[in-house]
Amino acid sequence: MPDAVPTWEEVARDHGRFLYNVAYRLAGNDADARDLVQEALVRVRRGLVSYTPGSLEGWLARIVTNVFLDEVRRRKRRVTVALPENPDTVLPASPGADAAAGDLSDEVQAALGSLPDEFRVAVVLCDVVGLSYDEIAAQQQVPVGTVRSRIHRGRRMLREALS
Amino acid sequence: MNGRALPDDVLSAYLDGECTPAERVAVEARLAADPRWRAELEAVRGARDALRRLPRREPPAGFLESLLTGVAASGRTGPSSAPAVDELAAARRARRARGSALAAAAAAAAVAVAVAVAVATPEGGGGQEVSPAIAQLSQTHAATAGLEVDPVSGVAPAAVPVELRR
C-alpha cells in the first residue's frame, strides 16, 4: 500500500531528521530547533487524520515553518520579555553555542539568522528544502511575486552579511 | 539604471528557472548590457550556493529516540499516542518557560486549589476517599517543587488526575 498515510511514529522516525534540519535553519540554535520539532510533531499527529498522501516533506516543511512563525509572533506579543534590537529577527541564530567555531556553515547560519523572519523562511524553503516558488506561495498564502521578492532580497541580504 | 521595467528580483527567478520565457529574454539582454546586473546576479548566486551547500544539521544524539521512547513508555502508540506527544511538548515548553519564583508560586497555588477542590465534598461526605491520596500528592510536590525543577510540568501530572471516588 504505497500511498498509505504514515503513522506518527513513522513520521518521527523517518522524517525527524528532516524536520530538525529545517527547524535548525529557521531557529538557528539547538534548543529552539528541538522545541519546534516537538511542536511540529504534535501538529503532525493532529494533521495525519486529514492528511492526503502526497509530498510528505513539503507538508512537514509547511508545518514546521508555521510553528516557527507562530513562535515568532508569540514572542513578539510577550510584553514581559525585552524585544531584541531588531524585532524582525526574534529567533536570531546563535550557532556559536552549538557548533564548533570557525566552520563556514556556521557563518552562513549566522547570516541566515540575521535575515527578517519572512525572508529567512523564503530562502530556507527554496534553498534548503527545495520547494518551487509556487509551492512556497501556496504554503505561505502569499502571491508568487511576493515569494520572488522575498527570496531575492533574502539572498542579497545574506550575501551582504557574509561579505 | 533603467531597471524600473525589469525589477531586479527577477534575477533570482532567472537563476532558479522560475521566470517566464519573456522575462528570460529580457534578463539576458540586460545582463549582456549592464555589468551591475551581472555583479548582482553573481552575488545572488553566491548566496544561493552557500545555502545549498549547507550540510544537513543533525539532531543531538538521542533526541528523536527520546520522543519515540517517551511515546512508547506511555503505552500509547499509533493514533492513541497523541496525548503522550502533547505531554512531551507541553513539558518541554514548560521547562523553557520556567525559572521564576513567580512561576513556582503559581504552581504551588495551582496545587493548593486542586487539593482544595479534591478535599471539598459537595455532598458533605467528609469521609470519602480521593484518588490519588492527597497526602501522597503533597509529598510528591514538596519533594519536587522549587526552582531546581520545572514547577509547571512537575506539578501538572500530580494535580490533574485528582478526582473524587464516589
Side-chain angles (χ1 to χ4, degrees):
Chain A
M1 206 169 144
D3 290 328
V5 175
T7 65
W8 180 87
E9 287 83 357
E10 287 168 344
V11 172
R13 184 185 307 113
D14 300 339
H15 302 278
R17 293 167 68 227
F18 168 81
L19 274 174
Y20 180 85
N21 183 51
V22 178
Y24 186 90
R25 295 307 172 205
L26 291 170
N29 67 81
D30 171 65
D32 283 328
R34 281 188 285 170
D35 283 352
L36 295 183
V37 170
Q38 282 203 350
E39 181 64 25
L41 285 172
V42 169
R43 297 190 191 186
V44 164
R45 189 267 307 159
R46 293 175 185 148
L48 280 174
V49 175
S50 56
Y51 172 70
T52 303
S55 172
L56 181 59
E57 292 203 336
W59 182 64
L60 295 176
R62 180 176 68 188
I63 290 174
V64 74
T65 299
N66 287 340
V67 171
F68 167 74
L69 290 172
D70 287 349
E71 177 66 9
V72 165
R73 294 184 194 108
R74 191 184 69 78
R75 293 191 188 186
K76 283 179 177 173
R77 283 197 302 268
R78 285 176 60 180
V79 294
T80 54
V81 176
L83 289 172
E85 289 182 10
N86 180 357
D88 288 333
T89 55
V90 177
L91 286 177
S94 54
D98 298 319
D103 190 327
L104 180 61
S105 67
D106 290 345
E107 293 177 25
V108 177
Q109 181 65 54
L112 190 56
S114 72
L115 302 186
D117 303 309
E118 290 173 338
F119 295 174
R120 196 185 329 169
V121 164
V123 297
V124 166
L125 290 177
C126 180
D127 293 326
V128 175
V129 179
L131 298 184
S132 70
Y133 287 20
D134 282 341
E135 288 170 321
I136 297 169
Q139 191 180 102
Q140 296 298 302
Q141 298 182 313
V142 296
V144 174
T146 301
V147 172
R148 177 187 283 202
S149 174
R150 287 176 182 175
I151 289 172
H152 185 72
R153 293 175 65 188
R155 286 173 177 167
R156 198 160 55 187
M157 289 173 166
L158 190 78
R159 184 66 183 181
E160 287 168 6
L162 287 170
S163 61
Chain B
M1 188 165 146
N2 300 316
R4 290 191 187 89
L6 194 62
D8 61 1
D9 64 17
V10 76
L11 281 172
S12 278
Y14 174 78
L15 263 184
D16 296 331
E18 292 270 3
C19 60
T20 65
E23 285 175 327
R24 171 169 290 278
V25 170
V27 167
E28 288 174 352
R30 181 69 182 270
L31 286 170
D34 190 339
R36 285 194 297 181
W37 265 54
R38 291 197 293 275
E40 172 90 353
L41 180 68
E42 288 315 305
V44 171
R45 190 198 306 275
R48 184 186 75 154
D49 291 349
L51 285 170
R52 293 186 175 189
R53 279 196 301 265
L54 280 173
R56 171 175 276 195
R57 184 80 185 192
E58 295 294 339
F63 169 60
L64 294 174
E65 291 77 5
S66 71
L67 294 180
L68 288 161
T69 303
V71 172
S74 74
R76 293 172 293 202
T77 57
S80 64
S81 64
V85 181
D86 288 345
E87 286 162 15
L88 285 169
R92 182 163 185 82
R93 282 197 296 273
R95 279 196 298 277
R96 298 294 310 280
R98 77 179 184 208
S100 73
L102 190 61
V111 166
V113 170
V115 170
V117 169
V119 171
T121 53
E123 283 79 36
Q128 290 181 340
E129 294 180 19
V130 295
S131 175
I134 296 300
Q136 182 185 343
L137 273 175
S138 299
Q139 288 171 4
T140 301
H141 173 62
T144 57
L147 296 179
E148 295 301 311
V149 299
D150 169 17
V152 177
S153 61
V155 167
V160 170
V162 174
E163 58 183 12
L164 291 174
R165 187 179 294 161
R166 302 286 177 188

